[in-house]
Every structure is written in C-alpha cells, then in structure tokens.
Amino acid sequence: MLSFQFPEGFEQLPPFAEALRYRENHSPSFGSVLDFVPSEIWAELDKRMKNKNK
C-alpha cells in the first residue's frame, strides 16, 4: 500500500501527481511511470521521510 511507503500528500507533489495522471491515460502501472521521477525528487522524499520518523 503506497500510503505506508510515501509521506502523506505525496500524490499532490508535481512529479507524482503528473505520474498518476499519465498512468491513468498511458501506462499500465504506476511503477513504470515512477522510473521517470528525477533522482533529486527521490532524495528530497527520502529526506522528508527520515525527518518525519525522528
């Protein structure tokens, strides 16, 4: 379940919101569009998750 893997509200962030919209129209899976999310975004998300767990 994605809600346990990502911080609350992640689906509203531009790269993820765009990925979800793209997936609805073009791609068979959310995972396949996540491959196009830039590494800087993943690093920021990881940082937010670590700070949240402190």
Side-chain angles (χ1 to χ4, degrees):
M1 181 170 246
L2 288 175
S3 62
F4 295 115
Q5 298 175 10
F6 297 107
E8 184 177 332
F10 87 95
E11 72 281 355
Q12 297 173 359
L13 298 173
F16 301 104
E18 292 165 12
L20 286 167
R21 280 194 301 275
Y22 183 85
R23 186 240 154 253
E24 289 174 359
N25 298 314
H26 301 95
S27 182
S29 74
F30 182 58
S32 65
V33 295
L34 289 180
D35 291 337
F36 295 102
V37 174
S39 60
E40 304 85 45
I41 300 297
W42 287 114
E44 180 61 30
L45 188 62
D46 188 46
K47 181 180 172 183
R48 287 177 53 192
M49 292 292 290
K50 287 178 182 176
N51 288 336
K52 181 181 177 182
N53 293 327
K54 287 185 178 182

